[in-house]
């Protein structure tokens, strides 16, 4: 990588500093791409990520540890054209709120199954589930999970039994029902700055915390806390903590 060329990581670091100013409205969409490996190959995902480097977005990448055993990080940088990667040690604690959208360039069978079974023990799935529950848009390239994709034909893996294809197709339908947007390889992904509605903490929220025997409520930064909620929290000796 030429030293004269500004790295993606350097550009994204500047963008992240820009994002910290809540008054900034005219900014690029901030996207988190999560990668996992697939038995039929990852070429469509890698190729699509390279195309995204030309879009007017801020794109950060993270890969599961198993994938990093298969591909050295420098090889992944070359395959995707992006050198802004979150290390596996920081992967688990990655804050979701700062990202507008999560992108899944590779839908492996195990990832689909774990999302549908709500397997929060798998870090990548936990991030996806948090994103969905926080109202973030999740977009996935469907080539890896679509048994009728041309990519499967190119790999010679389109000759399976109808029952297997039907089951895989049903899983893709379930992903859409969960709110995950599925796109084709040749489809342009339109990423936008997402304005998610703020969390509102009410008197009822505080009383529920008391009912649950909590003496603290941790709420997201930027949440709206009603005056009555503050009064009730003071009365019930419950501390409201912004995080």
């Amino acid at each position: 990588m030429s030293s004269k060329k500004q790295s993606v990581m350097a550009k994204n670091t500047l963008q992240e500093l820009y994002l910290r100013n809540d008054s900034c409205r005219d900014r690029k969409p901030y996207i988190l791409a999560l990668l996992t490996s697939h038995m039929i190959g990852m070429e469509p995902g890698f190729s699509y990520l390279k195309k995204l480097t030309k879009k007017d977005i801020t794109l950060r990448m993270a890969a599961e540890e198993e994938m990093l055993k298969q591909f050295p990080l420098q090889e992944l940088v070359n395959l995707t054209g992006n050198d802004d990667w979150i290390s596996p040690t920081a992967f688990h604690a990655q804050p979701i709120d700062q990202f507008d959208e999560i992108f899944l360039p590779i839908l492996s069978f195990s990832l689909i199954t774990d999302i549908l079974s709500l397997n929060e023990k798998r870090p990548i799935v936990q991030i996806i589930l948090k994103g969905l529950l926080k109202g973030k848009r999740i977009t996935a390239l469907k080539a890896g999970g679509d048994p009728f994709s041309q990519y499967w034909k190119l790999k010679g893996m389109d000759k399976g039994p109808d029952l297997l294809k039907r089951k895989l197709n049903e899983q893709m339908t379930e992903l859409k029902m969960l709110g995950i947007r599925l796109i084709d390889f040749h489809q342009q992904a339109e990423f936008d700055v997402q304005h998610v509605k703020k969390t509102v903490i009410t008197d009822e929220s505080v009383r529920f915390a008391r009912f649950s025997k909590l003496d603290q409520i941790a709420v997201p930064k930027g949440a709206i806390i009603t005056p009555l909620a503050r009064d009730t929290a003071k009365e019930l000796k419950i501390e409201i903590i912004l995080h």
Side-chain angles (χ1 to χ4, degrees):
M1 190 174 297
S2 171
S3 59
K4 293 182 180 179
K5 182 179 178 182
Q6 186 182 24
S7 73
V8 177
M9 181 170 60
K11 291 179 181 178
N12 288 356
T13 300
L14 292 172
Q15 173 71 357
E16 189 168 347
L17 291 171
Y18 179 69
L19 282 170
R20 290 176 186 173
N21 185 350
D22 291 337
S23 65
C24 295
R25 299 182 183 276
D26 185 20
R27 61 173 177 82
K28 298 177 183 179
Y30 197 20
I31 312 302
L32 173 63
L34 301 175
L35 282 78
T36 187
S37 58
H38 198 311
M39 60 177 282
I40 68 170
M42 287 77 77
E43 292 91 342
F46 291 150
S47 181
Y48 202 90
L49 286 168
K50 268 197 170 180
K51 291 197 298 183
L52 288 184
T53 62
K54 300 175 183 178
K55 293 182 73 72
D56 193 25
I57 61 174
T58 297
L59 180 65
R60 299 203 73 191
M61 320 272 282
E64 288 191 297
E65 290 187 22
E66 284 300 314
M67 189 172 187
L68 290 172
K69 292 176 184 177
Q70 186 178 354
F71 295 92
L73 183 56
Q74 187 55 51
E75 187 177 351
L76 287 175
V77 169
N78 294 334
L79 287 168
T80 62
N82 191 316
D83 67 351
D84 190 356
W85 289 77
I86 300 167
S87 69
T89 53
F91 181 69
H92 305 265
Q94 192 61 33
I96 297 300
D97 292 334
Q98 66 181 331
F99 294 101
D100 294 303
E101 187 162 344
I102 295 172
F103 179 57
L104 309 175
I106 301 162
L107 270 182
S108 66
F109 301 146
S110 65
L111 180 58
I112 294 171
T113 300
D114 282 346
I115 292 173
L116 295 179
S117 63
L118 309 181
N119 181 14
E120 62 177 314
K121 299 298 183 183
R122 185 173 175 182
I124 188 173
V125 176
Q126 185 180 117
I127 290 177
I128 293 166
L129 293 176
K130 279 184 179 178
L132 288 170
L133 290 169
K134 284 178 172 286
K136 302 291 181 181
R137 188 163 66 175
I138 314 289
T139 297
L141 197 64
K142 68 179 183 179
D146 181 5
F148 305 105
S149 166
Q150 290 297 319
Y151 181 63
W152 287 46
K153 290 185 179 180
L154 290 174
K155 289 289 185 176
M157 298 186 71
D158 60 327
K159 303 172 182 63
D162 290 341
L163 178 61
L164 177 58
K165 292 180 181 178
R166 208 161 45 239
K167 183 173 182 178
L168 291 169
N169 199 47
E170 287 172 358
Q171 287 185 322
M172 298 297 281
T173 301
E174 286 186 62
L175 286 180
K176 287 193 285 187
M177 291 174 67
L178 278 182
I180 296 176
R181 178 177 64 158
L182 301 176
I183 60 172
D184 288 312
F185 175 75
H186 298 293
Q187 187 177 346
Q188 288 281 341
E190 297 300 328
F191 298 111
D192 302 307
V193 174
Q194 300 294 305
H195 301 289
V196 180
K197 291 181 179 179
K198 290 188 175 183
T199 300
V200 179
I201 304 301
T202 64
D203 168 72
E204 185 180 3
S205 307
V206 177
R207 293 191 181 281
F208 177 78
R210 174 62 180 271
F211 178 77
S212 303
K213 298 182 179 179
L214 300 175
D215 56 10
Q216 291 182 339
I217 307 175
V219 301
K221 186 178 179 181
I224 298 171
I225 304 170
T226 66
L228 182 56
R230 290 187 184 278
D231 290 343
T232 303
K234 186 175 181 180
E235 175 191 338
L236 300 178
K237 295 182 172 55
I238 294 176
E239 185 181 5
I240 299 176
I241 302 172
L242 296 177
H243 68 92

